[in-house]
Amino acid sequence: METIEVVVARIGKPHGLRGEVTVDVRTDEPERRFVRGAQLRAEAPKGSAFPHRRLTVERARWHQQTLLLTFAELADRTAAETARGVVLHATIGLEDTPDDPDEYYDHQLIGLAAHDLDGTHLGTVEGLLHGGAQDLLVIRALDRRETLVPFVAALVPEVDLAGGRVVIADRPGLVAPLPDED
């Protein structure tokens, strides 16, 4: 089975004295990624002396709007403080799909052909930008320009993974302007 790594969180400040930390969640599936026993690759910030390459989830709980995690390797507040800024990665199979049929992993979308509502080829999905308000599809247009399309149902009404395409609605900027005729 082929696998890839996806970023699922970034560790914030310690919470309490027993090694619990706050995390900035970067996954739509925290209940799936932060189960007891889950092994996550730890990517420390440049210049950090954080000693662990992997962290094992012992406990996950929500406190108001914040996810708190306890890791086997972080026994106390001092150890938790050294983890601040560490980015956590989960390994998933390429054939894995999100629980919600209207959600997609980045790797499922990258490489899909982008077409308009009439079926005209517009370009290729080259990536995604994850923002606070919404995600953006990065489309490489046929003239090689990079264009951003908000990844919302009104503008991307169809994602056809089996057919290898996405449908883009109402994005005239994706079509290269015709050269002026004299």
Side-chain angles (χ1 to χ4, degrees):
M1 171 172 79
E2 236 183 303
T3 62
I4 63 165
E5 281 192 346
V6 294
V7 173
V8 293
R10 186 180 140 289
I11 296 178
K13 63 184 181 181
H15 182 82
L17 302 175
R18 296 197 172 115
E20 196 169 45
V21 293
T22 64
V23 293
D24 174 20
V25 177
R26 307 256 176 102
T27 176
D28 291 336
E29 304 172 308
E31 67 289 340
R32 188 173 177 184
R33 300 293 166 222
F34 305 116
V35 296
R36 182 178 173 86
Q39 293 274 316
L40 303 172
R41 184 173 70 80
E43 179 185 353
K46 288 211 184 289
S48 169
F50 186 69
H52 305 287
R53 292 172 102 44
R54 297 197 79 64
L55 292 174
T56 308
V57 176
E58 279 196 343
R59 181 175 169 213
R61 69 182 181 98
W62 289 95
H63 176 66
Q64 297 169 0
Q65 301 291 327
T66 305
L67 180 62
L68 302 174
L69 296 178
T70 304
F71 295 101
E73 297 80 3
L74 306 178
D76 56 26
R77 185 178 183 90
T78 302
E81 185 63 49
T82 67
R84 190 184 293 236
V86 167
V87 176
L88 301 172
H89 301 258
T91 301
I92 64 169
L94 283 177
E95 67 280 347
D96 286 354
T97 58
D99 293 334
D100 184 335
D102 290 328
E103 292 180 2
Y104 305 93
Y105 292 132
D106 291 10
H107 72 272
Q108 293 177 292
L109 299 170
I110 294 172
L112 296 181
H115 295 267
D116 68 12
L117 293 170
D118 296 326
T120 303
H121 184 73
L122 301 172
T124 305
V125 178
E126 289 213 335
L128 276 90
L129 295 176
H130 300 283
Q134 65 203 18
D135 296 335
L136 299 169
L137 289 177
V138 179
I139 307 290
R140 178 69 60 191
L142 296 177
D143 64 358
R144 305 301 300 152
R145 287 178 302 121
E146 189 175 272
T147 305
L148 302 177
V149 176
F151 192 30
V152 295
L155 296 176
V156 185
E158 182 182 343
V159 175
D160 180 4
L161 295 178
R165 69 188 207 120
V166 294
V167 174
I168 309 292
D170 193 29
R171 294 301 292 175
L174 272 174
V175 179
L178 295 173
D180 288 338
E181 291 185 29
D182 291 300

